[in-house]
Amino acid sequence: MEKYKELMKQYMLTENEEALYKAEQFSKQLLQKDVSPDEIVQIHIESLKSLYPELPKEMKRSLDFLLETMIAYGIVHQEARDLREKQLELKSEIEVAANMQDTLLNTVIPDVEVLDIGVLSVAAKQMNGDYHHFIKDSSGNVGVGIADVIGKGIPAALCMSMIKYALDSFSDERFSPNSILELLNRVVERNVEAGMFITMFYGVYDIHSHEFTYSSAGHEPGFFYKAKSKQFEEIDARGIVLGVQNNVSYINYSKSLEVGDTVLLLTDGVTECRQGDRFIERQEVVDVVQKYIHLPAQHIVENVYRYFERLQDFDLRDDFTLIILRRER
Amino acid sequence: MNNQSCIPIKKEWDIVGARQYGRDIAKNLGFGSVDQARIATAISELARNIYLYAQKGKICFDIVEGVNKKGIKIVAIDEGPGIEEISKVMEDGYTTSGGLGAGLPGIKRLMDDFDIISEVGKGTEITVVKWLR
């Protein structure tokens, strides 16, 4: 109050820029101390009355009128401050949840001699609605699951945890992909409200016969890469998304892999990358992968991600998951 | 309690009367002009709630004395529909009238103490106090 009065007095006498500059600095201090707009008007009125006790009564009344008018702004100011605090609280809570999710959904890439495996999963927002899962069964075969909840953010992430727990509850004995999807479908159908869907792809790589057996629940099709012909072909698998209806049967498909042949699994966060308003073509994904196909699997996924991250100006619109399995020998 | 007096709220005009009455008490107690304006605004909000949602009710004024302090106590009593979820109406941004008006959180901010009792179908009683510093 005294400071304001002093600055105002200085300005009234000199009308110079320096006083105005000081007032600007002072207003920042007031903001830091959370002084509300109506309080500043009050300080102004008091200062004015004390500097010029002979103010005309019309002037005084008009100032009281102004003060009254400013009260509502004071409330809004306080409300905004409280909401800001709440928002910070929420943000840090979500961060904790996201870390927890990372720990919960953590999966270890199995170490098998015949396969080179690369995987990258990046959340568009703080929490990831994509899920992938690796498992090595008792005979050393590798199971790989990739799933995508329709939607993103926290609801999707919560939903994903359920898939993880369900998968964990199955025994390590070798299941066929279609029966895994059938079991998961039952879990999802019972526990998720209508309107929330999960797409999923599950495959098992037999390390002795080099057969890749797989089944899909409406999941974005991946690709097979044939090393001999250097050609990509779409993985053809049909099945209804998880959670829509009870007692669904899924079909098993299988594919024989030669040395160098590669399985490419992804979520729609990869194929629905956007450049401006333009969705990229699936062919573009293939082209980018082709460019890096000579690299180790992990390097491929990282390079592909970097390419699309840049294409989208470093602002992911959907969760992005890409898995590469290549037969090494 | 011998200082207590109440102003019935039936018409919009009564809101102005209640403001004036409360402001005079605040002024006599020695509240500064900002606090007077805040108290008047709180009274407005309380009275408007009665006028808009309960149609009938009253605003009562009292001078309270605490340890080494004095204050103005305002109680808004109505026989309206009552509030089902009090915690919800106390949330920032919640309003049933489609905006404008500080709502209950605003009243709470304008005053020092705030208490609310409400029973669905019977009515609502809101008590607020502003202490003289």
Side-chain angles (χ1 to χ4, degrees), chain A residues 145-199:
Chain A
I146 182 167
D148 184 2
V149 181
I150 307 304
K152 53 192 168 200
I154 297 170
L158 286 174
C159 199
M160 234 44 289
S161 309
M162 182 177 64
I163 294 285
K164 147 88 176 177
Y165 298 138
L167 276 172
D168 277 354
S169 71
F170 302 154
S171 79
D172 285 349
E173 282 317 297
R174 188 175 170 184
F175 271 114
S176 70
N178 66 339
S179 54
I180 286 180
L181 292 184
E182 281 157 18
L183 286 167
L184 285 174
N185 178 60
R186 211 175 308 155
V187 174
V188 175
E189 202 269 332
R190 278 188 200 159
N191 295 291
V192 170
E193 54 185 295
M196 195 156 202
F197 307 114
I198 300 174
T199 71

Side-chain angles (χ1 to χ4, degrees), chain A residues 38 42 68 71 78 82, chain B residues 19 23 33-34 38 109:
Chain A
D38 51 338
Q42 159 78 354
E68 201 74 30
I71 294 290
Q78 275 187 27
D82 291 352
Chain B
R19 278 177 63 106
R23 187 192 294 274
S33 46
V34 171
R38 285 180 179 159
R109 289 202 173 90

Side-chain angles (χ1 to χ4, degrees), chain A residues 30-289:
Chain A
L30 292 174
L31 265 179
Q32 273 174 352
K33 287 183 194 153
D34 260 319
V35 178
S36 68
D38 51 338
E39 280 165 338
I40 294 174
V41 172
Q42 159 78 354
I43 292 169
H44 180 81
I45 296 172
E46 302 281 310
S47 306
L48 195 63
K49 282 181 180 167
S50 122
L51 285 172
Y52 306 96
E54 305 298 314
L55 275 184
K57 66 176 189 303
E58 285 85 0
M59 184 69 191
K60 282 185 191 160
R61 275 186 202 161
S62 82
L63 289 170
D64 288 339
F65 192 81
L66 173 65
L67 179 64
E68 201 74 30
T69 315
M70 292 303 292
I71 294 290
Y73 286 85
I75 300 176
V76 173
H77 173 85
Q78 275 187 27
E79 186 182 80
R81 187 193 57 196
D82 291 352
L83 287 175
R84 221 166 27 234
E85 271 168 23
K86 240 181 241 172
Q87 190 207 8
L88 284 178
E89 249 171 58
L90 274 178
K91 208 175 156 193
S92 65
E93 226 171 274
I94 292 170
E95 259 163 45
V96 174
N99 284 335
M100 204 166 160
Q101 193 201 19
D102 284 346
T103 318
L104 280 176
L105 301 190
N106 189 30
T107 181
V108 181
I109 299 177
D111 189 16
V112 277
E113 283 188 353
V114 296
L115 284 176
D116 180 17
I117 301 174
V119 57
L120 189 72
S121 186
V122 184
K125 294 188 178 172
Q126 277 156 308
M127 295 181 82
N128 201 333
D130 283 357
Y131 176 61
H132 65 278
H133 174 90
F134 290 104
I135 195 162
K136 199 155 107 177
D137 72 10
S138 41
S139 356
N141 298 319
V142 173
V144 53
I146 182 167
D148 184 2
V149 181
I150 307 304
K152 53 192 168 200
I154 297 170
L158 286 174
C159 199
M160 234 44 289
S161 309
M162 182 177 64
I163 294 285
K164 147 88 176 177
Y165 298 138
L167 276 172
D168 277 354
S169 71
F170 302 154
S171 79
D172 285 349
E173 282 317 297
R174 188 175 170 184
F175 271 114
S176 70
N178 66 339
S179 54
I180 286 180
L181 292 184
E182 281 157 18
L183 286 167
L184 285 174
N185 178 60
R186 211 175 308 155
V187 174
V188 175
E189 202 269 332
R190 278 188 200 159
N191 295 291
V192 170
E193 54 185 295
M196 195 156 202
F197 307 114
I198 300 174
T199 71
M200 183 156 182
F201 179 97
Y202 200 93
V204 174
Y205 187 94
D206 187 312
I207 56 166
H208 303 292
S209 69
H210 300 289
E211 285 273 320
F212 185 65
T213 309
Y214 57 94
S215 189
S216 171
H219 195 77
E220 174 84 19
F223 298 93
F224 287 122
Y225 172 75
K226 303 293 288 174
K228 210 178 273 170
S229 62
K230 293 195 166 60
Q231 292 292 317
F232 283 85
E233 61 176 81
E234 198 159 272
I235 296 178
D236 181 34
R238 258 154 271 183
I240 188 167
V241 297
L242 300 179
V244 174
Q245 66 188 67
N246 208 348
N247 278 326
V248 178
S249 303
Y250 290 97
I251 308 163
N252 270 345
Y253 300 81
S254 79
K255 180 94 181 169
S256 228
L257 297 190
E258 311 278 325
V259 173
D261 286 358
T262 301
V263 182
L264 189 68
L265 304 176
L266 38 78
T267 58
D268 60 9
V270 180
T271 48
E272 283 175 14
C273 279
R274 253 178 285 181
Q275 189 179 27
D277 288 332
R278 178 186 76 96
F279 278 101
I280 60 152
E281 305 280 329
R282 280 170 64 78
Q283 184 58 41
E284 196 163 342
V285 178
V286 168
D287 291 345
V288 177
V289 174

Side-chain angles (χ1 to χ4, degrees), chain B residues 20-72:
Chain B
Q20 182 68 60
Y21 195 84
R23 187 192 294 274
D24 288 346
I25 295 175
K27 205 179 208 165
N28 288 335
L29 272 171
F31 280 104
S33 46
V34 171
D35 279 343
Q36 282 179 38
R38 285 180 179 159
I39 291 165
T41 304
I43 294 168
S44 271
E45 293 291 336
L46 289 168
R48 278 187 71 77
N49 280 343
I50 294 175
Y51 170 71
L52 290 175
Y53 304 116
Q55 277 79 45
K56 223 182 102 185
K58 57 184 177 177
I59 306 268
C60 298
F61 300 88
D62 205 354
I63 293 164
V64 284
E65 304 210 12
V67 188
N68 294 329
K69 58 180 181 179
K70 259 186 174 180
I72 180 171

